[in-house]
Amino acid sequence: SIVYGSERYHDRTMHTFEVALELMAAEPDLFAPLVTHRFGITNYREAITTASRKSRHEAIKAVFDFRGG
């Protein structure tokens, strides 16, 4: 199972998600490949199908992209 809790990071005790957010903010290009599929909100059905059938669609992370309308 996956457990989230407190981590020691840069001499601080932080929640696991805080560490993840700090790493992502510091190195966004490192994590960009994790988003494999982007959808406009009008394509929500396709997004849900893709996210629920990840292996079929070879998806790691499907997200809604609100940029550009």
Side-chain angles (χ1 to χ4, degrees):
S1 72
I2 298 174
V3 178
Y4 304 104
S6 296
E7 312 289 337
R8 291 293 296 167
Y9 181 69
H10 290 269
D11 297 322
R12 296 179 292 166
T13 300
M14 301 170 66
H15 191 276
T16 303
F17 288 107
E18 292 174 313
V19 174
L21 290 173
E22 193 166 302
L23 288 168
M24 290 168 61
E27 297 287 337
D29 293 338
L30 183 65
F31 296 93
L34 294 176
V35 177
T36 57
H37 294 72
R38 294 180 185 275
F39 299 92
I41 194 67
T42 57
N43 295 329
Y44 70 92
R45 289 176 197 228
E46 184 182 357
I48 292 170
T49 299
T50 299
S52 65
R53 299 178 182 156
K54 290 182 177 187
S55 61
R56 180 183 294 176
H57 297 280
E58 298 182 1
I60 296 173
K61 184 62 70 177
V63 300
F64 290 113
D65 189 346
F66 295 98
R67 298 173 294 180

